[in-house]
Amino acid sequence: MTSGHGIEIETLTPEAFAPYGRVFQPHEIPDFDLPTKSVHRFPWQCDAPLILQLISFKPQPFKVHKIERHFHVTESRMHIGGSPTVIVVSEPAEEVPTPAKLRAFRLDRQGVMFKLGTWHAVDAYPLGNEPGLFLFLSDKETQSELFDKPVAEPKRSIIRTYDENPPEILVD
Protein backbone atom coordinates (compact mmCIF):
# COMPACT_ATOMS: atom_id res chain seq x y z
CA MET A 1 0.00 0.00 0.00
CA THR A 2 1.50 3.34 -1.00
CA SER A 3 -0.81 5.74 0.81
CA GLY A 4 -0.23 4.79 4.41
CA HIS A 5 -4.00 4.85 4.85
CA GLY A 6 -6.52 2.32 3.60
CA ILE A 7 -10.30 2.73 3.66
CA GLU A 8 -12.31 -0.41 4.43
CA ILE A 9 -15.46 -0.92 2.37
CA GLU A 10 -18.57 -1.01 4.56
CA THR A 11 -22.06 -2.36 3.99
CA LEU A 12 -24.50 0.43 3.19
CA THR A 13 -27.14 0.69 5.93
CA PRO A 14 -29.27 3.68 6.94
CA GLU A 15 -27.59 3.74 10.35
CA ALA A 16 -24.02 3.62 9.02
CA PHE A 17 -24.73 6.25 6.35
CA ALA A 18 -26.73 8.64 8.61
CA PRO A 19 -23.82 11.08 9.29
CA TYR A 20 -23.50 11.66 5.51
CA GLY A 21 -27.10 11.57 4.31
CA ARG A 22 -29.90 9.13 3.61
CA VAL A 23 -30.18 5.76 1.95
CA PHE A 24 -33.02 5.48 -0.54
CA GLN A 25 -35.28 2.77 0.83
CA PRO A 26 -38.84 2.68 2.13
CA HIS A 27 -39.44 4.39 5.48
CA GLU A 28 -41.06 2.46 8.30
CA ILE A 29 -44.27 4.43 7.69
CA PRO A 30 -44.90 5.70 4.13
CA ASP A 31 -45.74 9.37 3.55
CA PHE A 32 -48.84 8.20 1.67
CA ASP A 33 -50.33 4.72 1.80
CA LEU A 34 -52.76 4.41 -1.11
CA PRO A 35 -54.71 1.37 -2.32
CA THR A 36 -52.32 0.68 -5.22
CA LYS A 37 -49.03 2.01 -3.86
CA SER A 38 -47.10 3.37 -0.90
CA VAL A 39 -45.23 6.64 -1.38
CA HIS A 40 -41.97 7.39 0.44
CA ARG A 41 -40.71 10.96 0.02
CA PHE A 42 -37.24 12.33 0.71
CA PRO A 43 -36.34 15.93 1.62
CA TRP A 44 -34.23 16.61 -1.49
CA GLN A 45 -33.00 20.22 -1.76
CA CYS A 46 -31.59 22.53 -4.40
CA ASP A 47 -31.81 26.23 -5.14
CA ALA A 48 -31.37 26.06 -8.93
CA PRO A 49 -33.02 24.09 -11.75
CA LEU A 50 -32.76 20.33 -11.42
CA ILE A 51 -30.51 18.28 -13.66
CA LEU A 52 -30.93 14.53 -14.03
CA GLN A 53 -27.99 12.63 -15.51
CA LEU A 54 -26.85 9.07 -16.14
CA ILE A 55 -23.22 8.65 -15.14
CA SER A 56 -21.15 5.61 -15.99
CA PHE A 57 -18.19 5.38 -13.61
CA LYS A 58 -15.41 3.47 -15.38
CA PRO A 59 -13.15 0.96 -13.63
CA GLN A 60 -10.05 2.69 -12.26
CA PRO A 61 -7.45 2.28 -9.49
CA PHE A 62 -8.94 2.35 -6.00
CA LYS A 63 -7.30 5.64 -4.97
CA VAL A 64 -9.18 8.74 -3.86
CA HIS A 65 -7.62 11.74 -5.60
CA LYS A 66 -10.37 14.40 -5.35
CA ILE A 67 -13.11 15.12 -2.86
CA GLU A 68 -15.80 17.78 -2.95
CA ARG A 69 -18.72 19.20 -1.03
CA HIS A 70 -21.73 21.16 -2.23
CA PHE A 71 -23.56 23.97 -0.43
CA HIS A 72 -26.76 24.26 -2.48
CA VAL A 73 -27.82 20.73 -3.39
CA THR A 74 -28.37 17.41 -1.66
CA GLU A 75 -26.69 15.50 -4.48
CA SER A 76 -28.16 12.05 -4.99
CA ARG A 77 -26.81 8.92 -6.64
CA MET A 78 -28.78 5.76 -7.45
CA HIS A 79 -26.81 2.74 -8.65
CA ILE A 80 -28.94 1.28 -11.45
CA GLY A 81 -26.67 -1.21 -13.17
CA GLY A 82 -23.25 -2.56 -14.01
CA SER A 83 -20.67 -3.53 -11.43
CA PRO A 84 -21.35 -2.89 -7.74
CA THR A 85 -19.61 0.39 -7.00
CA VAL A 86 -17.91 2.04 -4.01
CA ILE A 87 -18.53 5.64 -2.95
CA VAL A 88 -16.32 7.49 -0.46
CA VAL A 89 -17.70 10.08 1.99
CA SER A 90 -16.87 12.14 5.07
CA GLU A 91 -19.11 14.14 7.38
CA PRO A 92 -19.98 17.77 6.62
CA ALA A 93 -17.24 19.94 8.11
CA GLU A 94 -15.39 23.15 7.31
CA GLU A 95 -11.99 21.49 7.21
CA VAL A 96 -10.92 19.06 4.51
CA PRO A 97 -11.19 15.57 5.97
CA THR A 98 -8.02 13.66 6.67
CA PRO A 99 -7.83 10.21 5.04
CA ALA A 100 -8.63 8.69 8.45
CA LYS A 101 -12.06 10.39 8.37
CA LEU A 102 -13.06 8.95 4.99
CA ARG A 103 -15.54 6.07 4.82
CA ALA A 104 -16.31 3.82 1.86
CA PHE A 105 -19.67 2.16 1.10
CA ARG A 106 -20.56 -0.48 -1.47
CA LEU A 107 -23.65 0.24 -3.57
CA ASP A 108 -25.36 -2.49 -5.53
CA ARG A 109 -28.72 -1.27 -6.88
CA GLN A 110 -29.00 1.14 -3.94
CA GLY A 111 -29.05 4.91 -3.76
CA VAL A 112 -28.02 7.69 -1.41
CA MET A 113 -28.71 11.38 -0.89
CA PHE A 114 -25.83 13.39 0.57
CA LYS A 115 -26.53 15.99 3.27
CA LEU A 116 -25.64 19.55 2.31
CA GLY A 117 -21.89 19.94 2.79
CA THR A 118 -21.06 16.22 2.92
CA TRP A 119 -17.57 15.59 1.57
CA HIS A 120 -17.53 12.88 -1.10
CA ALA A 121 -15.12 11.54 -3.67
CA VAL A 122 -15.64 13.04 -7.10
CA ASP A 123 -15.40 9.56 -8.58
CA ALA A 124 -17.00 6.25 -7.67
CA TYR A 125 -15.12 2.97 -7.97
CA PRO A 126 -16.65 -0.08 -9.70
CA LEU A 127 -15.73 -3.41 -8.10
CA GLY A 128 -15.84 -5.33 -11.36
CA ASN A 129 -14.69 -4.99 -14.96
CA GLU A 130 -17.91 -3.26 -16.05
CA PRO A 131 -18.66 0.42 -15.33
CA GLY A 132 -21.06 1.26 -12.51
CA LEU A 133 -24.13 3.04 -13.90
CA PHE A 134 -25.80 5.72 -11.79
CA LEU A 135 -28.86 7.91 -12.00
CA PHE A 136 -27.45 11.19 -10.72
CA LEU A 137 -29.58 14.07 -9.40
CA SER A 138 -28.03 17.51 -8.92
CA ASP A 139 -28.67 21.10 -9.92
CA LYS A 140 -27.71 22.87 -13.15
CA GLU A 141 -25.76 25.71 -11.51
CA THR A 142 -23.47 23.42 -9.52
CA GLN A 143 -22.88 21.13 -12.50
CA SER A 144 -22.26 24.08 -14.81
CA GLU A 145 -19.51 25.62 -12.68
CA LEU A 146 -17.83 22.22 -12.30
CA PHE A 147 -18.19 20.77 -15.82
CA ASP A 148 -20.01 22.84 -18.46
CA LYS A 149 -18.16 26.10 -17.84
CA PRO A 150 -15.56 25.24 -15.19
CA VAL A 151 -14.40 28.06 -12.94
CA ALA A 152 -11.11 28.19 -11.03
CA GLU A 153 -12.82 28.86 -7.68
CA PRO A 154 -16.36 27.42 -7.61
CA LYS A 155 -18.84 29.27 -5.40
CA ARG A 156 -21.31 26.41 -4.98
CA SER A 157 -18.76 23.72 -4.08
CA ILE A 158 -15.32 23.12 -2.66
CA ILE A 159 -12.98 20.64 -4.37
CA ARG A 160 -9.73 19.44 -2.83
CA THR A 161 -7.11 16.92 -3.88
CA TYR A 162 -5.00 14.39 -2.06
CA ASP A 163 -1.97 15.09 -4.25
CA GLU A 164 0.56 13.13 -2.26
CA ASN A 165 -0.22 9.61 -1.09
CA PRO A 166 -3.92 9.44 -2.00
CA PRO A 167 -5.86 7.16 0.32
CA GLU A 168 -6.65 3.71 -1.07
CA ILE A 169 -9.89 1.76 -0.87
CA LEU A 170 -9.14 -1.71 0.46
CA VAL A 171 -10.68 -4.40 -1.75
CA ASP A 172 -10.44 -8.06 -0.76
Side-chain angles (χ1 to χ4, degrees):
M1 185 182 313
T2 60
S3 74
H5 186 81
I7 307 165
E8 302 262 346
I9 299 172
E10 301 178 46
T11 301
L12 181 67
T13 66
E15 298 76 24
F17 199 76
Y20 319 104
R22 297 178 79 142
V23 174
F24 289 135
Q25 68 179 37
H27 313 306
E28 189 172 311
I29 299 171
D31 294 284
F32 298 97
D33 201 7
L34 307 170
T36 59
K37 62 185 152 271
S38 295
V39 178
H40 303 268
R41 290 188 173 164
F42 294 85
W44 196 81
Q45 297 175 259
C46 74
D47 67 354
L50 169 72
I51 187 168
L52 180 63
Q53 304 171 93
L54 286 176
I55 297 182
S56 183
F57 288 102
K58 299 174 184 176
Q60 62 177 305
F62 292 96
K63 292 186 179 187
V64 179
H65 290 281
K66 289 185 181 180
I67 58 170
E68 64 184 356
R69 65 190 289 239
H70 308 297
F71 304 114
H72 302 276
V73 62
T74 53
E75 182 179 296
S76 299
R77 300 177 179 189
M78 173 65 79
H79 181 261
I80 60 172
S83 293
T85 303
V86 175
I87 61 168
V88 176
V89 294
S90 186
E91 291 185 40
E94 291 300 315
E95 64 279 352
V96 178
T98 63
K101 291 188 177 188
L102 298 176
R103 297 203 34 209
F105 292 93
R106 179 184 191 270
L107 276 70
D108 189 1
R109 307 289 172 126
Q110 298 160 294
V112 296
M113 177 176 63
F114 300 136
K115 290 180 181 178
L116 289 177
T118 293
W119 288 98
H120 57 280
V122 170
D123 290 320
Y125 306 86
L127 291 169
N129 295 324
E130 297 294 319
L133 184 61
F134 281 77
L135 187 66
F136 188 90
L137 190 60
S138 189
D139 75 271
K140 287 183 95 171
E141 298 299 322
T142 298
Q143 293 298 297
S144 181
E145 76 173 16
L146 295 175
F147 300 104
D148 302 329
K149 298 174 187 164
V151 296
E153 290 293 324
K155 294 185 182 348
R156 303 178 67 80
S157 306
I158 294 177
I159 301 173
R160 295 295 181 257
T161 60
Y162 293 110
D163 290 325
E164 295 182 25
N165 299 320
E168 293 185 50
I169 300 165
L170 302 177
V171 179
D172 353 51

